[in-house]
Amino acid sequence: MTDQTDLPALPVTFRPGRTRAVLLGAGVAILVVLTVIALLIPGLGPGERTSFIFTGALLFGVLALLSRPKVVADESGVTVVNIATSRRLAWAEIVQVNLRPGDPWVFLNLSDGTSLPAMGIQPGIAKAQAIADARALRALADTRAPQG
């Protein structure tokens, strides 16, 4: 059993902060550069300028969507937000929290026999932080598992 003093205070949000900063920073930079190009190139018509700006906004939107993943743990359970989906789990549904070497993100083994990727904890840029976050989530899940 895990010592209660090692557990993070709830609610807690796990997300790949550095990856998120890189994605959003790149998205803003792309949008700004394409907008400046659209406004500074002489001879472009309004439709061409608009297409440059629209392309920048579209790329920013894609990068913002990629920066969306997070895992939010509270007293009643866990909310896993991935790129295009979100799922709410009760603590009793989480059997195991896995982050094996080479995994792109944490996987939650569930009581129904399935596995759910939790992309909010990923070792990409910040491996040590991802390992610490996975251990914290595992400890939270272990302390809230039904005793039986």
Side-chain angles (χ1 to χ4, degrees):
M1 203 58 152
T2 304
D3 182 8
Q4 292 286 334
T5 59
D6 293 338
L7 298 176
L10 295 177
V12 62
T13 299
F14 303 105
R15 70 176 356 141
R18 290 181 186 166
T19 301
R20 182 175 166 84
V22 168
L23 289 169
L24 292 176
V28 168
I30 289 168
L31 178 58
V32 168
V33 167
L34 288 177
T35 300
V36 168
I37 288 171
L39 298 176
L40 292 181
I41 292 181
L44 289 181
E48 294 166 319
R49 291 183 198 281
T50 303
S51 69
F52 267 91
I53 296 169
F54 177 76
T55 300
L58 184 64
L59 291 171
F60 174 78
V62 168
L63 293 174
L65 192 61
L66 291 173
S67 73
R68 183 175 180 250
K70 66 182 175 180
V71 177
V72 181
D74 59 34
E75 290 296 334
S76 62
V78 175
T79 302
V80 177
V81 179
N82 288 329
I83 292 172
T85 61
S86 180
R87 182 165 173 193
R88 178 75 183 161
L89 301 166
W91 285 111
E93 292 179 80
I94 301 171
V95 174
Q96 191 175 31
V97 177
N98 288 317
L99 180 60
R100 296 174 300 254
D103 279 351
W105 40 70
V106 162
F107 288 90
L108 304 177
N109 291 342
L110 305 179
S111 58
D112 65 2
T114 63
S115 181
L116 176 68
M119 297 172 73
I121 302 174
Q122 50 183 267
I125 296 175
K127 185 176 182 179
Q129 183 63 48
I131 292 170
D133 289 351
R135 285 183 179 150
L137 184 59
R138 182 179 300 132
L140 287 167
D142 288 349
T143 60
R144 285 160 174 74
Q147 305 300 316

